[in-house]
Amino acid sequence: MIKAEPKTILHFMWSYFDVLRELFDVQHKDGLIRKETLATILQRNKRDIKPQLIEYKLLRKVSDDYELRDVYYKLIEFVLFEFRPLLPEEIEKFGVSISDLFRNIKDGIHGDKDILIDRIRGLSSQIKEFADSVEKNSIRLLNECRELKSNVNQLDYREKIQRASFWIQYYILPLNSILDVNHSESITNKMLGISEFANQKRLAFTDEGIRQSFEKLYFQLIQTNDDLLKQSKVLTNELLPLIDRIRTESLILTGWITFLQSHNKIQPPKLLKSKKGNPYSKRVYLNTKEYFEQFKADEEAIIVDDDQEYETWVFNKTKYKRELIKSLPIDNFFDWCHEQLKDETSEITNEKVFALTGLLFDDEIEVNANPEMKFVSIKTKTSKLSVPILNAKKNGIS
Amino acid sequence: MEYPEMHRQIVDELLDGKFVLSRERHFDEIKENEGFYIDFFKISFNHELEINNEFARLISDETDENLSRDISIFFAILCYELDRQGKNFLDALQYSEFSMEEINYLFDNSSWIDLLQSNKQLRDSDTRKRFIFSSMGKRNIIDKVSDERFYFTPAYKVFIDFANELAGHTLNKSPGDSDNGN
């Protein structure tokens, strides 16, 4: 018996929660609280509360050491959301008890009314515990995976791969098969069967009390099945891809780190060398030879002087500029060039046309292209030049 | 003899070390004439044609080892730094667009800075930009979005597969002998 009032115990827990949390952490890690550890924690917090911890039955003596009683341990675990991941075997046991109770309910359906109601209550309680365990496990596994992803413990990648594989192999996949509704032996599947049975009985049973018990069970099962479906989705849509990604990425990073650590010794992936010749490539000699050989003329070239006199033409810029300014505005500049040269020289050459083109860059002249970008041809002695139609006018005067 | 359509472009690009990507029209030609091109490149040049659903490329012993090494270093550091930021680097490589600013931030703050500074292609922002847009761009490993932005084409998978295989060898060879520079 506890002599203290319930409110006193809860007030005590509220006042000394920091100490209780430390004790919880120690037990969470080591499985129990050594008497020396208890003394150290109490001393560090300057709290002499050992008698109350015993009196209020928060602590239980285990030989010389202590442990938090299960009910308080679970309470602190719940409020801190720090659950120990349950092994699939620990969850599986609910499957066994749920099956046993269900079988007994079916077998004793026409038996004693009170035991039937107690069995329905027992089944309901097991289902609740099962659903709680699954939820706590999913939360815990999700936290573990997120911690692994952010690598709070600074694990190296090899260890990350091992940890990820460990969670997948021992916790996530087995939990997934417990929840897999398509698997005939899964607990979820068994619960669907129970739900169907409870649905029939809540409508058809003659005794009203039993009918109500089945009705309660039925609605609890509907809710639980919904919750389990959500948990199953968390596992398959979030947890498995997340941890699988951690494993794959850690594997790739292990490879990259191996490479970076000795990148000069490891052969990188093959990448085809481009065929374009480098000066130091082994083909460059033959390629260059081939290139120059194409210009090698077989016949000897002889230059023969002829006595013909050629016209010497010197571009008189001042004169042509004066002529041009006098003729402004001009609709077609190259036409003007052609006319000038035709009148004054014996032949029109490319050189003469290009020399006159230089006038376009004079500051006193403004040049505009024909908006339709039309081209005209000018015939020179050797070529036919295709030139744009350019309008020229005096700069600054419209 | 009749050659498949776009034959010249196919031969030119593949011999130039380019990845021909599945979204390109001449990829379909290669795929449709896979047998022909496998034989063609093997008999004419002794090159292997690798073709999957995402790209085609030539593999040969005439490999550009320096370029491949630099690209591998680039991907190694990029993956490592993205992971350090808590990002899923495989998703980032496959779906994200990168800016030079982001790349420079990751590389300038990398714990592999000594290695980067000794690498002529990756040591500063200018060389990195040239390396990404020119060397990797020419081979179709990246796609340029603008002067400052790009994304990776599926060609990056050649390098990720390389890292994966390397990890396989490492893990099988020497358990308990790793150091990741974390």
Side-chain angles (χ1 to χ4, degrees):
Chain A
M1 273 297 286
I2 308 174
K3 287 179 194 158
E5 288 288 321
K7 275 188 181 175
T8 313
I9 299 173
L10 290 174
H11 187 262
F12 173 82
M13 287 182 76
W14 180 79
S15 305
Y16 299 105
F17 188 75
D18 291 342
V19 178
L20 289 174
R21 175 163 195 168
E22 271 195 61
L23 295 174
F24 170 81
D25 287 341
V26 171
Q27 187 171 326
H28 191 67
K29 196 165 149 252
D30 303 334
L32 53 71
I33 305 158
R34 301 224 171 270
K35 64 174 180 186
E36 299 82 9
T37 317
L38 176 65
T40 314
I41 291 173
L42 294 179
Q43 207 173 8
R44 192 172 52 237
N45 287 281
K46 296 189 177 111
R47 306 287 189 196
D48 188 15
I49 51 169
K50 193 172 156 192
Q52 287 97 317
L53 287 170
I54 305 289
E55 186 194 334
Y56 300 158
K57 296 194 185 296
L58 274 92
L59 283 188
R60 177 174 33 211
K61 218 160 180 313
V62 184
S63 172
D64 281 347
D65 301 317
Y66 298 90
E67 67 175 18
L68 282 163
R69 279 180 189 269
D70 213 32
V71 61
Y72 291 113
Y73 183 88
K74 280 191 174 156
L75 174 68
I76 299 171
E77 188 185 42
F78 185 76
V79 293
L80 291 176
F81 247 60
E82 282 186 10
F83 310 111
R84 178 181 70 84
L86 295 174
L87 277 166
E89 297 89 302
E90 292 178 87
I91 298 176
E92 196 83 58
K93 75 176 185 206
F94 292 111
V96 177
S97 58
I98 288 170
S99 297
D100 285 351
L101 278 161
F102 181 49
R103 196 172 44 250
N104 290 343
I105 288 170
K106 277 202 293 190
D107 292 348
I109 194 81
H110 301 298
D112 186 83
K113 178 186 157 188
D114 291 335
I115 193 74
L116 182 61
I117 289 176
D118 281 350
R119 279 175 181 153
I120 294 172
R121 253 189 227 134
L123 179 62
S124 163
S125 155
Q126 287 299 299
I127 289 168
K128 246 185 256 168
E129 274 195 56
F130 166 68
D132 274 357
S133 307
V134 170
E135 192 186 350
K136 284 197 285 189
N137 235 24
S138 301
I139 292 168
R140 177 67 196 187
L141 290 173
L142 210 52
N143 286 343
E144 286 286 343
C145 293
R146 284 176 182 152
E147 270 186 22
L148 200 57
K149 174 68 196 156
S150 55
N151 205 8
V152 285
N153 295 324
Q154 298 282 298
L155 300 176
D156 74 17
Y157 292 110
R158 188 193 298 269
E159 218 173 318
K160 263 176 106 173
I161 299 167
Q162 283 166 351
R163 195 67 68 89
S165 304
F166 167 80
W167 286 120
I168 291 178
Q169 186 183 349
Y170 294 109
Y171 285 86
I172 300 172
L173 287 181
L175 182 58
N176 205 25
S177 59
I178 287 173
L179 298 181
D180 185 4
V181 77
N182 298 316
H183 193 280
S184 61
E185 286 304 303
S186 75
I187 303 180
T188 314
N189 207 302
K190 281 180 195 162
M191 290 196 355
L192 279 178
I194 298 172
S195 165
E196 209 174 299
F197 179 82
N199 191 23
Q200 286 170 9
K201 297 297 169 201
R202 82 185 170 106
L203 299 169
F205 214 83
T206 43
D207 185 279
E208 196 188 340
I210 294 173
R211 254 200 339 260
Q212 278 174 358
S213 294
F214 273 121
E215 176 143 316
K216 221 171 127 193
L217 180 67
Y218 173 69
F219 284 114
Q220 182 196 356
L221 280 164
I222 288 179
Q223 183 61 47
T224 309
N225 282 333
D226 274 359
D227 292 346
L228 291 177
L229 194 65
K230 274 184 212 151
Q231 299 304 327
S232 180
K233 277 185 183 159
V234 168
L235 281 179
T236 48
N237 297 345
E238 196 171 348
L239 206 50
L240 265 177
L242 174 68
I243 202 141
D244 209 35
R245 180 52 61 95
I246 293 170
R247 188 163 63 169
T248 317
E249 290 194 342
S250 300
L251 193 67
I252 292 165
L253 285 167
T254 307
W256 280 138
I257 285 156
T258 309
F259 175 72
L260 287 173
Q261 281 168 343
S262 40
H263 61 277
N264 284 324
K265 294 180 198 151
I266 296 171
Q267 190 80 28
K270 285 181 176 176
L271 265 192
L272 189 75
K273 206 173 189 114
S274 165
K275 282 285 172 281
K276 283 179 187 136
N278 288 317
Y280 44 82
S281 91
K282 59 185 176 188
R283 288 195 179 82
V284 80
Y285 172 72
L286 287 175
N287 288 350
T288 316
K289 204 169 162 212
E290 186 188 9
Y291 179 77
F292 282 106
E293 273 174 357
Q294 67 177 318
F295 302 112
K296 201 171 147 189
D298 289 329
E299 288 172 23
E300 202 176 340
I302 301 164
I303 299 167
V304 182
D305 285 337
D306 60 7
D307 299 331
Q308 208 180 330
E309 280 189 20
Y310 293 95
E311 179 198 8
T312 49
W313 183 81
V314 178
F315 174 53
N316 184 344
K317 189 179 174 185
T318 320
K319 176 193 154 196
Y320 284 109
K321 186 180 162 186
R322 196 170 53 236
E323 291 296 323
L324 176 63
I325 289 174
K326 220 191 299 173
S327 318
L328 289 176
I330 295 169
D331 290 337
N332 187 340
F333 173 77
F334 286 105
D335 205 25
W336 175 84
C337 294
H338 194 258
E339 291 301 316
Q340 290 291 318
L341 295 170
K342 199 171 72 181
D343 294 345
E344 292 171 23
T345 63
S346 57
E347 57 187 13
I348 300 172
T349 62
N350 288 350
E351 186 197 359
K352 290 175 187 171
V353 175
F354 291 145
L356 284 182
T357 309
L359 292 171
L360 289 173
F361 301 102
D362 197 283
D363 289 344
E364 290 180 48
I365 296 160
E366 186 186 326
V367 184
N368 288 303
N370 180 296
E372 291 166 25
M373 286 305 288
K374 279 190 180 162
F375 284 77
V376 287
S377 288
I378 301 177
K379 214 170 166 195
T380 65
K381 187 186 164 193
T382 52
S383 324
K384 201 172 161 188
L385 302 173
S386 180
V387 289
I389 297 177
L390 299 175
N391 308 319
K393 58 183 179 183
K394 199 146 191 205
N395 198 4
I397 298 168
S398 57
Chain B
M1 176 173 178
E2 265 194 35
Y3 289 98
E5 215 182 315
M6 307 175 89
H7 175 69
R8 185 163 181 177
Q9 188 182 355
I10 291 167
V11 174
D12 273 354
E13 289 191 6
L14 287 173
L15 283 180
D16 226 13
K18 260 192 169 181
F19 286 77
V20 174
L21 305 170
S22 59
R23 59 160 193 240
E24 296 175 295
R25 199 158 75 80
H26 51 307
F27 176 85
D28 299 335
E29 283 295 325
I30 304 174
K31 195 95 181 156
E32 273 171 37
N33 300 285
E34 193 175 331
F36 165 77
Y37 278 115
I38 287 173
D39 292 346
F40 175 82
F41 284 111
K42 185 71 194 166
I43 293 163
S44 316
F45 304 97
N46 199 24
H47 295 337
E48 305 289 336
L49 176 71
E50 180 189 357
I51 181 159
N52 55 38
N53 288 333
E54 292 176 306
F55 59 78
R57 68 165 187 142
L58 289 180
I59 307 174
S60 150
D61 288 336
E62 293 171 42
T63 172
D64 197 340
E65 198 176 313
N66 288 335
L67 176 68
S68 181
R69 177 163 288 115
D70 289 339
I71 297 176
S72 302
I73 293 174
F74 172 81
F75 276 116
I77 293 178
L78 182 63
C79 294
Y80 183 82
E81 295 303 330
L82 286 171
D83 180 72
R84 265 212 319 168
Q85 290 198 336
K87 291 183 181 162
N88 290 330
F89 63 81
L90 286 177
D91 286 348
L93 292 177
Q94 192 165 1
Y95 305 113
S96 295
E97 197 178 291
F98 289 85
S99 68
M100 280 312 299
E101 193 186 349
E102 187 184 355
I103 295 286
N104 287 332
Y105 177 80
L106 292 172
F107 279 60
D108 290 340
N109 294 292
S110 172
S111 47
W112 299 94
I113 193 76
D114 291 345
L115 169 61
L116 283 170
Q117 280 175 351
S118 65
N119 186 296
K120 283 181 189 165
Q121 311 289 340
L122 301 168
R123 67 177 158 208
D124 59 48
S125 54
D126 287 342
T127 56
R128 277 197 286 269
K129 187 172 178 180
R130 247 195 326 271
F131 180 70
I132 293 168
F133 285 107
S134 178
S135 304
M136 290 168 75
K138 258 198 293 191
R139 288 185 178 249
N140 267 352
I141 298 169
I142 62 119
D143 244 339
K144 189 174 170 179
V145 178
S146 69
D147 277 352
E148 289 295 320
R149 302 184 73 80
F150 67 92
Y151 59 85
F152 292 103
T153 68
Y156 79 86
K157 290 180 184 168
V158 166
F159 297 91
I160 294 297
D161 289 347
F162 162 70
N164 224 335
E165 278 173 33
L166 204 56
H169 294 313
T170 313
L171 293 177
N172 290 335
K173 212 166 63 180
S174 54
D177 180 30
S178 87
D179 174 19
N180 61 15
N182 262 335

